[in-house]
Amino acid sequence: MAPCLEPHERTVGTRVEISHLGATPIGMAVTAEIELEAVEGRRVRFRVSCRDERELVGAGFHERTLVDHGRFMARLARKRTLGPDQSP
């Protein structure tokens, strides 16, 4: 995604949902394929599939959200200084 982002932008992972569909023997190669499925505002969704040399062994999706890096890091810094019952 880096070539598509402005210098101040980053993405953060917000959701991963993958089903384990089959076991792979030790030593067998596994290949992952990721396909951009949707862009909805700041949310980006990828379809994920994993195959070993014989069959599909995992499938699902991964979501990321576009953020302003400076603002995101500032929010994390504020969170570090707050007490346990305070919200950023």
Side-chain angles (χ1 to χ4, degrees):
M1 292 213 38
C4 300
L5 301 177
E6 296 294 326
H8 68 282
E9 295 175 325
R10 303 290 187 282
T11 63
V12 293
T14 54
R15 187 171 182 184
V16 175
E17 187 172 313
I18 298 177
S19 296
H20 183 252
L21 305 173
T24 299
I26 293 173
M28 186 177 277
V30 174
T31 304
E33 289 187 12
I34 297 92
E35 178 182 353
L36 178 61
E37 184 177 82
V39 177
E40 297 172 355
R42 297 183 314 131
R43 187 176 68 98
V44 182
R45 181 179 171 108
F46 297 92
R47 177 150 306 283
V48 178
S49 64
C50 298
R51 297 185 153 281
D52 64 21
E53 297 169 19
R54 303 280 182 260
E55 65 183 348
L56 185 67
V57 295
F61 67 89
H62 175 58
E63 289 182 3
R64 301 188 67 79
T65 298
L66 185 74
V67 297
D68 178 286
H69 182 68
R71 287 189 358 214
F72 182 77
M73 296 306 289
R75 194 171 107 227
L76 288 179
R78 281 192 308 275
K79 183 176 181 178
R80 184 181 296 270
T81 63
L82 295 174
D85 295 331
Q86 297 173 307
S87 63

